[in-house]
Amino acid sequence: MDNRKAIIASYKDEILQSIQFEKSEIKVEQEISKTKVFDMDIMPNGDILLSVEECELKLLKENEIAEHAPFHSFSPLKTFGVHINRENEIIVGISAGFPTEKDEVSKPGKIVVLNSKGSIKRKHEFEQDEYRNQLCVCPTRIVTNSENTICFIDIFKKAYYGDGYDKKINNKGRIVGIDQEGKVKWIYHGTGHQQSSSIYFLCPKDIAVINSAGCILIYDAPIKHFQTFHIISQDGSAIAYSDLRLTNLGHKLDDLGSLAIDKDQKLYVGSDETYRSAKIHIFEFI
């Protein structure tokens, strides 16, 4: 937001906060509890549109959540990713939920485009591929690039690493690019170098658009202590990736969660540190 302000949310702690950045400090101006936000974006009038994994979206208006926002009901599916594009259209990812441990999906996911009043303009549904795999299972994050391609994270499978008590579960996914009519333009599964690794699988957590270059930044965390940034072009081709270990200031990067890029092209990365205080790391592109 403008004036060095931001809206942040803790999904685990069910807290939504309005904060102010003051030098190296963060001041909490407003806090709303018992609000489990999965994704959000800002409306042209300054209201915040919230996806809370329910059948309807909610609005944050003047620090209060409007319980009966005038938006379309997606029942029985739930909302996940939400994004507002340059035309002020609301793009919503809806799904029955994440795949089960048996990779069972009760209903396929969809991408729905609404106008600013909440009426459906377009609905994009995807057929199974030749292997009977569903292309859109659970669309968790959505952006549009400078070519107006709708790009979204699709979580489609449970991924496992470790054995016995150390066995962990993560969400395997891909980045899908579609045009405004819903036709698939490209699918990104990760770089060829990483796909050749026996321990690698793409588990994208969040995506953001680098407006100055039109590229897409992906934060990927397939396993703990193996976290990377991917940068892909507007046609879905890999440009670069970097393993995350330490910043140039010596701060350890661990258990990162979400991305945001402001109008000055600063990158904000939220941490998800279970046993320590959460942090927001701020980077500049050089």
Side-chain angles (χ1 to χ4, degrees), residues 110-180:
K110 303 174 185 178
I111 299 293
V112 181
V113 182
L114 311 174
N115 64 20
S116 58
K117 301 296 184 180
S119 298
I120 291 180
K121 297 182 66 175
R122 299 183 298 280
K123 185 183 297 184
H124 303 313
E125 304 181 42
F126 307 92
E127 297 181 356
Q128 294 176 332
D129 64 17
E130 58 183 311
Y131 303 105
R132 299 187 63 79
N133 296 319
Q134 187 65 46
L135 176 59
C136 183
V137 176
C138 188
T140 61
R141 294 289 189 268
I142 306 169
V143 297
T144 49
N145 64 18
S146 58
E147 293 184 345
N148 219 19
T149 300
I150 300 172
C151 312
F152 62 92
I153 292 177
D154 179 33
I155 299 299
F156 66 92
K157 189 175 184 178
K158 293 290 184 183
Y160 304 87
Y161 61 92
D163 298 308
Y165 291 109
D166 294 328
K167 187 174 183 179
K168 304 295 183 182
I169 300 175
N170 214 333
N171 291 315
K172 187 175 181 179
R174 56 203 162 194
I175 314 300
V176 181
I178 63 174
D179 63 21
Q180 292 297 309

